[in-house]
Amino acid sequence: EDKVVQSPLSLVVHEGDTVTLNCSYEVTNFRSLLWYKQEKKAPTFLFMLTSSGIEKKSGRLSSILDKKELFSILNITATQTGDSAIYLCAVLIFGNEKLTFGTGTRLTIIP
Amino acid sequence: GAVVSQHPSWVICKSGTSVKIECRSLDFQATTMFWYRQFPKQSLMLMATSNEGSKATYEQGVEKDKFLINHASLTLSTLTVTSAHPEDSSFYICSARSVLGTYEQYFGPGTRLTVT
C-alpha cells in the first residue's frame, strides 16, 4: 500500500524563525512529489518535484527531493504569520495519476 | 489561469435527502477530475477519479451507489451524495487535470456538507 508520512504533525514557531517540514514516502511507480499549502479552503499548489537533488525555490519557500532516501523537505525562512497553514505533501504515481496525500503538518507562526 | 470552481461552497441538508455538488474548470478543459473528502484535522482522501465520458473509478471502501459521479463534459463533473447521513458530513474537494498533459492538479475551493 502506498504511504506518505509527514513530520512533525504540528509545529509552533515565532515569526522570523526558519522551519523545515519533512515528507517521506513508500510508493510503487513514483512519478513526482508535490507540496501544497492549505489555509481555510482547498490546497494551493507550491511545488512539484520530479528530479532528485534539484532545489525549487519561490520567495522564502524552497524544497528538494531525495529519491534515493525517499523523502522531501520544505523550508520556509523568515516565517510570517501568513505562513500559518497546513502543509500537505502528496505523491503522484505513474499510470493512474492519483495523488496520495500525507497527514499534513500544521504550522502556526506566533507574532 | 487554471481556476476550478465548486458549487455550492456550503450546504446543509436533512438526513435521507440527496445533495449535488458541481465542480467546474473555468479556463481550461479537464480530461480527469478527482473527488476528495477531508474530515476535520485529517488529510485529503481520494474518493474517486472521473474521466469525461466514462464511468468513474472509485477507491476501495467508497460506495459508488451512494456517491454518484458524472463527468458529462470537459469542464464539469458532479458528485451527488444520495440518502445522506450525518456521517457524510465533511469537506468535499474536487481537482482537475488539464487536457494539456501536465500532471498538476488544480483544486476547487471545496464544499462543506453538513447533514442534520
Side-chain angles (χ1 to χ4, degrees):
Chain A
E1 186 186 331
D2 296 332
K3 197 161 59 170
V4 180
V5 178
Q6 291 184 246
S7 64
L9 289 181
S10 69
L11 186 57
V12 180
V13 300
H14 287 98
E15 202 167 20
D17 287 351
T18 293
V19 297
T20 298
L21 309 183
N22 304 291
C23 175
S24 63
Y25 60 91
E26 286 178 37
V27 302
T28 52
N29 298 319
F30 173 89
R31 180 188 281 278
S32 301
L33 184 143
L34 294 87
W35 283 97
Y36 290 88
K37 176 183 182 182
Q38 185 177 26
E39 295 173 89
K40 291 189 178 166
K41 292 197 171 180
T44 53
F45 172 78
L46 295 176
F47 298 111
M48 179 189 284
L49 303 156
T50 304
S51 301
S52 210
I54 300 173
E55 185 184 51
K56 291 216 171 176
K57 207 168 164 61
S58 175
R60 296 176 294 103
L61 277 67
S62 63
S63 184
I64 197 161
L65 173 68
D66 185 329
K67 288 167 76 172
K68 185 179 174 189
E69 300 297 330
L70 308 183
F71 78 91
S72 173
I73 59 171
L74 174 68
N75 273 327
I76 308 176
T77 59
T79 51
Q80 302 170 357
T81 54
D83 295 328
S84 295
I86 296 172
Y87 289 83
L88 295 165
C89 164
V91 172
L92 186 65
I93 308 297
F94 261 114
N96 63 23
E97 306 168 26
K98 294 194 278 191
L99 283 175
T100 299
F101 280 87
T103 45
T105 293
R106 182 179 291 273
L107 176 64
T108 304
I109 310 296
I110 301 171
Chain B
V3 178
V4 176
S5 72
Q6 276 184 247
H7 177 81
S9 54
W10 59 271
V11 57
I12 300 173
C13 71
K14 290 191 174 177
S15 197
T17 60
S18 294
V19 172
K20 181 187 279 190
I21 302 169
E22 292 186 350
C23 176
R24 289 182 189 272
S25 55
L26 297 185
D27 50 2
F28 66 101
Q29 292 184 320
T31 47
T32 306
M33 288 184 169
F34 302 87
W35 286 95
Y36 296 85
R37 182 164 53 183
Q38 186 176 34
F39 291 107
K41 298 191 178 179
Q42 293 188 25
S43 193
L44 277 73
M45 297 297 294
L46 180 65
M47 298 175 67
T49 304
S50 79
N51 291 295
E52 184 263 340
S54 62
K55 288 186 179 179
T57 304
Y58 290 81
E59 294 300 299
Q60 197 169 10
V62 178
E63 298 174 60
K64 61 181 179 183
D65 294 330
K66 180 169 182 60
F67 298 100
L68 302 178
I69 292 172
N70 185 296
H71 192 156
S73 76
L74 284 173
T75 59
L76 173 65
S77 176
T78 60
L79 167 68
T80 302
V81 182
T82 62
S83 187
H85 289 285
E87 56 264 32
D88 298 325
S89 298
S90 187
F91 191 50
Y92 291 87
I93 306 173
C94 73
S95 70
R97 189 178 82 85
S98 169
V99 297
L100 294 178
T102 61
Y103 290 95
E104 187 177 328
Q105 291 183 23
Y106 303 97
F107 284 85
T111 296
R112 186 160 301 284
L113 169 64
T114 301
V115 184
T116 59

